[in-house]
């Protein structure tokens, strides 16, 4: 009984030690320059987001193209439409 508990405790301690070393290795790696494939993947992802109007690039493009007062007006209008079931929400 005591031998099993000791073995389980040793396994847990070793697992924690290994995960700690792995995490430390991961933080060191993130401080370095991105590998080429990761950079290429990020660029491709951003391009696809722009193409299909997804993610942050769409939000940035909309924010740059529309003045703040117009954005606030659109948000207010959308909220009132939802509250009173008007516009697109009327059919839903």
């Amino acid at each position: 009984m005591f031998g099993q508990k000791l073995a389980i405790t040793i396994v847990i301690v070793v697992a924690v030690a290994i995960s700690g070393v792995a995490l430390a290795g991961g933080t060191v790696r993130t401080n370095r320059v991105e590998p080429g494939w990761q950079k290429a993947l990020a660029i491709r992802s951003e391009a696809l987001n722009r193409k299909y109007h997804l993610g942050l690039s769409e939000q940035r493009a909309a924010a740059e193209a529309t003045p703040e007062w117009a954005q606030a007006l659109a948000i207010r209008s959308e909220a009132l439409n939802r509250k009173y079931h008007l516009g697109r929400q009327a059919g839903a």
Side-chain angles (χ1 to χ4, degrees), residues 80-90:
L80 288 171
N81 285 346
R82 285 187 186 148
K83 181 177 180 178
Y84 295 109
H85 305 288
L86 302 172
R88 292 179 296 206
Q89 287 77 21

Side-chain angles (χ1 to χ4, degrees), residues 2-89:
F2 179 73
Q4 284 181 327
K5 287 184 180 182
L6 180 63
I8 291 173
T9 304
I10 290 173
V11 168
I12 291 172
V13 169
V14 170
V16 169
I18 290 173
S19 65
V21 170
L23 288 174
T27 55
V28 171
R29 183 180 302 150
T30 57
N31 292 336
R32 295 183 187 163
V33 177
E34 280 186 1
W37 66 268
Q38 284 181 337
K39 189 174 182 179
L41 185 63
I43 292 170
R44 179 181 180 272
S45 178
E46 180 65 24
L48 288 172
N49 285 345
R50 284 185 185 152
K51 180 178 179 180
Y52 294 108
H53 308 291
L54 302 171
L56 293 176
S57 63
E58 176 64 21
Q59 293 171 359
R60 274 188 242 125
E64 291 170 1
T66 309
E68 288 182 19
W69 64 266
Q71 292 176 25
L73 186 61
I75 292 169
R76 180 181 179 274
S77 176
E78 185 68 26
L80 288 171
N81 285 346
R82 285 187 186 148
K83 181 177 180 178
Y84 295 109
H85 305 288
L86 302 172
R88 292 179 296 206
Q89 287 77 21

